[in-house]
Amino acid sequence: MENWGRVDNLRYNCCFICVDASLQALDQYVNQRVDHMVEAGLFEEVCDIYKSDSDYTQGLRQAIGVREFEDFLRYRNTEDQKSSLCPKMHKDNLCDLVNSSCGDQSNFMLIESIDKVKLNTRRLVRRQKRRLNQLQLLFGWKIHYLDVTSCISCSLDDSWAVNVVEPSVKIIESFLANTVSSDDAGQGCEGTIDLPQRDLWTRYICQACGNKELRGAHEWEQHRRGKGHRKRASRMRMSLDLHKR
C-alpha cells in the first residue's frame, strides 16, 4: 500500500509520546545496565543455551547479549575439553575473571564480549532514534518528545513525575479535548536534544582492533575507553616499538 503507515491513513487518531534523552546519557545508561545484567547472571543464562555446534546467526542465539559471548565460550570449551564448562563459570568467579589483572586470553576475550554487548546495544539505540525520525519525516507522525536526560542522570524520586508524567498528562488531556495546537506540539519537542547527523553516522576504523568499524563519535569514544581496546592498542604500540629498534 502506497500510503501505509502515514498518519493520514491511520484507522484511529493517535497521540504519540516519546521519552528521549541525549546520546551521552543513553550511552552511559546502557553501559551501566549491561554491567548490572552481567552481575545479575546474564552469563549464566547464556551458558544455559550454549552448544558448541549451534548457529549464532539464527533464533534466540542471535539476540544482543547472547551472540557476543560465542567466541569466548568456544575458546573456554576448547581449553577445558569438557561439555561441563558453563557450570564452572558462576557469577562470583566470572566477576573475578573480568576484574583480573593477569591479562590472559580468557580475561581478554570475556571483557571483549561484554564490550560487544554494550556496543551493539548502543547501536540499537541509534537505530531506534533514526526510525523515530523516519516516522516523522516520511510518515508525518506528530511525536511529542519528552527529554528524560535528567531522569537518567539523577536519582531524585520526583524527577520522573515532573519531567514525564505531568507533561504527558497535559499532552493527552489536550489531545482528548481536541485542542492540541501547533504551539503545544512545539513545547513537546522543546526538551529534545538536537543531535547533528554526524553524531550518528561518522565512520571510525580502529586498526588496533582488527579494523573494527564504529559509527558515531560517542560509539568511538566508548570503544577507545574499553579495556579490550586499551590492551590491544598497548600491544600494538609495543610491537611498533620493537620494529623500530
Side-chain angles (χ1 to χ4, degrees):
M1 294 176 60
E2 185 178 348
N3 295 324
W4 182 89
R6 291 192 57 81
V7 69
D8 53 5
N9 197 45
L10 296 177
R11 184 174 181 180
Y12 302 101
N13 292 329
C14 300
C15 179
F16 300 106
I17 300 176
C18 174
V19 291
D20 195 17
S22 68
L23 277 176
Q24 184 177 3
L26 287 172
D27 285 345
Q28 183 177 358
Y29 179 81
V30 164
N31 292 341
Q32 293 173 348
R33 176 63 178 160
V34 171
D35 288 335
H36 292 159
M37 290 170 63
V38 172
E39 293 171 3
L42 170 64
F43 184 76
E44 291 155 328
E45 294 181 10
V46 173
C47 281
D48 287 341
I49 62 172
Y50 172 71
K51 291 182 180 179
S52 59
D53 58 348
S54 295
D55 183 358
Y56 276 77
T57 64
Q58 297 181 358
L60 175 63
R61 292 180 177 84
Q62 68 176 333
I64 296 176
V66 178
R67 66 176 183 260
E68 293 85 359
F69 290 98
E70 179 187 8
D71 290 341
F72 171 73
L73 289 171
R74 291 188 190 281
Y75 172 78
R76 285 301 300 259
N77 194 41
T78 301
E79 288 293 300
D80 290 358
Q81 293 295 315
K82 293 179 180 179
S83 60
S84 58
L85 156 71
C86 293
K88 293 182 177 182
M89 295 297 295
H90 294 299
K91 182 170 64 176
D92 292 338
N93 52 2
L94 174 66
C95 292
D96 290 340
L97 183 58
V98 171
N99 298 320
S100 173
S101 58
C102 64
D104 64 9
Q105 187 68 8
S106 290
N107 168 257
F108 172 78
M109 294 187 72
L110 178 57
I111 291 173
E112 184 178 48
S113 298
I114 296 173
D115 285 344
K116 284 180 179 179
V117 176
K118 296 177 180 178
L119 172 64
N120 288 334
T121 306
R122 294 195 301 268
R123 285 178 171 172
L124 176 61
V125 168
R126 284 156 174 75
R127 287 199 299 272
Q128 291 172 335
K129 277 179 168 285
R130 288 195 290 269
R131 286 168 182 169
L132 285 170
N133 289 335
Q134 289 173 348
L135 289 175
Q136 285 185 293
L137 297 174
L138 302 181
F139 297 97
W141 289 26
K142 295 179 180 179
I143 303 176
H144 300 273
Y145 285 90
L146 300 175
D147 185 9
V148 298
T149 300
S150 60
C151 302
I152 293 177
S153 56
C154 76
S155 57
L156 297 177
D157 293 336
D158 62 345
S159 179
W160 186 264
V162 171
N163 293 285
V164 180
V165 178
E166 293 177 6
S168 296
V169 170
K170 291 179 180 178
I171 292 171
I172 293 172
E173 287 177 344
S174 297
F175 173 77
L176 293 176
N178 200 26
T179 58
V180 179
S181 66
S182 58
D183 291 339
D184 292 328
Q187 290 174 1
C189 297
E190 206 170 88
T192 304
I193 305 298
D194 236 351
L195 298 168
Q197 193 69 11
R198 67 173 183 275
D199 229 6
L200 300 175
W201 289 102
T202 305
R203 182 170 175 261
Y204 296 85
I205 302 295
C206 180
Q207 294 182 349
C209 298
N211 292 326
K212 176 184 287 187
E213 179 179 321
L214 301 109
R215 292 286 180 178
H218 290 291
E219 189 173 293
W220 168 245
E221 187 61 27
Q222 291 292 333
H223 174 73
R224 287 181 61 248
R225 294 178 183 180
K227 292 182 180 179
H229 167 79
R230 295 201 306 269
K231 286 184 177 181
R232 283 188 290 267
S234 177
R235 291 175 183 173
M236 175 176 278
R237 285 193 296 268
M238 292 174 61
S239 178
L240 290 173
D241 289 342
L242 290 173
H243 284 301
K244 289 179 180 178
R245 294 175 187 174

